[in-house]
Amino acid sequence: MSEARAFFQAYGDAFTQGPAAIAAFYGEPCITARAGSIRLNATRRDAEAFFASVDRAYRERGFRKCEMLSFIEQSVGRNSAIATVHWAYQDANGKTLWESTFTYNLYRFDGTWRILLLTMHDHAA
């Protein structure tokens, strides 16, 4: 398993642990672009606040865990990479509730990957 793939396995697991665990995977600052909205998270606290709202919305839809359905990575230098991940969001019984695809720009800080930009693939309704 590649280092980036292992990073995203752990990132997916963080969604079961709450907003602080999710935000720990992001650089400061970072940008999220999803559902027609672009947000700059200048600090870890900003990222945690953003992911608190995401966590709440996901849990209201019955989310309990996610599964990585596909993973594509591309190195763009020694300290950066791009990854596209297709996720299945599941209930406690493993039933898929919805799926989403995101592209992530990663940068290595002090030997650790961090997400700098998350872009959700918005699809036509």
Side-chain angles (χ1 to χ4, degrees), residues 47-63:
E48 285 181 22
F50 172 75
F51 284 109
S53 67
V54 170
D55 184 63
R56 188 171 34 260
Y58 282 13
R59 293 199 182 276
E60 286 172 359
R61 293 177 69 181
F63 168 81

Side-chain angles (χ1 to χ4, degrees), residues 21-64:
I22 301 164
F25 285 83
Y26 284 79
E28 298 171 33
C30 65
I31 296 172
T32 58
R34 53 191 314 263
S37 177
I38 298 172
R39 177 185 167 110
L40 170 65
N41 299 291
T43 66
R44 176 68 50 89
R45 181 175 284 189
D46 293 337
E48 285 181 22
F50 172 75
F51 284 109
S53 67
V54 170
D55 184 63
R56 188 171 34 260
Y58 282 13
R59 293 199 182 276
E60 286 172 359
R61 293 177 69 181
F63 168 81
R64 294 299 176 265

